[in-house]
Amino acid sequence: MSSHLEFRSISRTFGDAEVLHQISLTVQPSGCVALLGASGSGKSTLLRIAAGLDEPSSGEVLVDGENLAGIPSEQRGVALVFQKALLFPHLSVVDNVAFSARMAGQSRKASREHAMAYLELVKLADLAHRSPGKLSGGQEQRVALARALARTPRILLLDEPFSSLDSGLRDTMYSLMGDIRAELAPTIVLVTHDRREASVLADSIAVLDSGRILQHGPVAQLHYQPATLAVNRLLGGLNAVPGRLVAGAHHSALGRFPVQRGLGDGPAFLTVRQEAIHIVAPADGPATGSVTGLKSLGAHTLVHVTGHGPNQPNEPLATLTIEVPGDPDLRMGQDVGLRLVNATGWAVTG
């Protein structure tokens, strides 16, 4: 179940509307790539093209070097799980999972034995003879996963399959996906608009916006080294402080923060993550400010700190948001120092 998947310069237009533009993306065998983006960004269209349910206007989809152009969806060795389970209501759970084997000519007994192995994997073997109408939402999605896996696909495609579940059920499904990856090592492409889901399930994230990939890389890289302000926002970054780069450091009313190498002097935004900043005594930090906001999140608190320094004309005040555990001993208007968890911050110039 581990194959190499490549999208090569995929574009898709509908009339005058371009939904995908020159998408090139590689998924390594046994890897999981999440396509993350807002509704209308093109991520589900790309998944449908991989599945053979849509055709690209230009470009190629390759699995293990084989161009899939012209190959029907049922012959691609690709399985797709949708947001809705789409189970056959007239078939039992085990016969839903056994469906592809039966269609391939296996006997009822053999196909059911094959299906039971996958029901055991998703921990639903005891419900094998139940009607789909008597399952919970989470159980339905487990059956849909088992049915897809029972096809022993080369590629497993997941189109927001957990988005309709409550948070507790989603966490259970995330744990199950970890078990499936450990057991079968499938190659997976996951479509989601949930950054937490992408971060928990995937090895790397490709951020799509208006049919283009803004950035693709390991999960930590996209969180802490975003290529653009849009990537920073989509990955939940709360800081985009305007200022200027001078000699390898970002300068704003907050003060001076060293940033990554290789950037020239000029306007830039500091995109340091909210959890990557420590609040310290004013004398102990390279930057200082006053507490201008406190918002409890239960186990954590968001602290807004606005800088003391002068701003350029018509520029907004420089404010950082810091996420701290618990209920900090801080008050509005209190002067504090700011220090980065790592030696440098991250600046975005465009």
Side-chain angles (χ1 to χ4, degrees):
M1 294 181 69
S2 300
S3 289
H4 181 277
L5 172 65
E6 182 181 1
F7 298 98
R8 187 179 292 174
S9 299
I10 295 289
S11 293
R12 183 67 171 102
T13 57
F14 295 94
D16 294 332
E18 187 177 48
V19 178
L20 295 173
H21 177 78
Q22 295 289 303
I23 296 290
S24 293
L25 179 68
T26 297
V27 187
Q28 297 297 334
S30 300
C32 178
V33 173
L35 305 178
L36 177 68
S39 297
S41 60
K43 54 191 188 297
S44 289
T45 300
L46 187 62
L47 211 67
R48 289 175 58 83
I49 288 173
L53 302 178
D54 195 3
E55 292 293 331
S57 302
S58 62
E60 300 174 328
V61 179
L62 300 98
V63 174
D64 294 332
E66 175 190 10
N67 189 342
L68 299 186
I71 298 178
S73 58
E74 64 273 13
Q75 297 178 18
R76 291 189 171 204
V78 172
L80 175 57
V81 179
F82 295 96
Q83 180 177 345
K84 293 184 177 180
L86 302 178
L87 302 179
F88 300 116
H90 62 289
L91 298 179
S92 66
V93 165
V94 67
D95 287 332
N96 263 277
V97 179
F99 182 79
S100 61
R102 285 287 283 158
M103 291 298 99
Q106 289 191 25
S107 69
R108 185 178 187 185
K109 180 180 178 182
S111 62
R112 281 185 166 184
E113 288 176 352
H114 178 76
M116 285 301 297
Y118 292 94
L119 285 174
E120 288 173 2
L121 179 62
V122 300
K123 301 177 176 60
L124 284 182
D126 56 334
L127 302 182
H129 298 290
R130 183 169 293 186
S131 165
K134 296 181 180 180
L135 300 177
S136 68
Q139 289 169 340
E140 287 182 343
Q141 284 304 86
R142 287 182 183 226
V143 176
L145 266 176
R147 184 174 62 182
L149 294 169
R151 295 176 57 187
T152 60
R154 295 191 289 175
I155 308 291
L156 179 62
L157 306 175
L158 305 176
D159 194 358
E160 303 196 57
F162 314 129
S163 61
S164 62
L165 305 179
D166 63 42
S167 59
L169 280 177
R170 283 200 299 270
D171 287 340
T172 300
M173 295 302 293
Y174 298 164
S175 178
L176 175 63
M177 286 303 302
D179 294 341
I180 289 171
R181 293 193 68 189
E183 180 78 16
L184 302 177
T187 302
I188 301 173
V189 181
L190 166 71
V191 160
T192 182
H193 62 269
D194 186 327
R195 59 180 179 267
R196 177 175 177 268
E197 181 168 281
S199 301
V200 170
L201 294 180
D203 305 313
S204 65
I205 299 173
V207 175
L208 273 71
D209 183 54
S210 299
R212 291 169 166 79
I213 292 181
L214 301 183
Q215 187 176 2
H216 175 224
V219 173
Q221 182 187 78
L222 269 73
H223 278 82
Y224 293 98
Q225 299 176 359
T228 68
L229 293 179
V231 172
N232 179 60
R233 183 180 65 255
L234 284 168
L235 269 295
L238 300 179
N239 293 313
V241 178
R244 293 191 64 83
L245 293 175
V246 179
H250 185 272
H251 295 258
S252 72
L254 286 162
R256 176 186 181 276
F257 286 98
V259 295
Q260 74 269 30
R261 296 180 179 179
L263 299 178
D265 292 354
F269 291 87
L270 182 70
T271 60
V272 61
R273 293 282 302 189
Q274 56 270 17
E275 65 270 17
I277 312 166
H278 284 315
I279 294 177
V280 297
D284 296 334
T288 60
S290 298
V291 176
T292 53
L294 293 165
K295 182 179 181 180
S296 175
L297 301 178
H300 296 81
T301 299
L302 292 182
V303 182
H304 303 289
V305 177
T306 300
H308 288 144
N311 290 280
Q312 297 295 321
N314 301 320
E315 281 190 357
L317 292 174
T319 300
L320 275 178
T321 299
I322 304 100
E323 184 175 326
V324 299
D327 184 11
D329 184 18
L330 296 170
R331 66 181 186 279
M332 295 290 289
Q334 180 178 339
D335 290 344
V336 296
L338 301 172
R339 187 173 65 209
L340 300 181
V341 171
N342 298 314
T344 60
W346 190 260
V348 172
T349 57

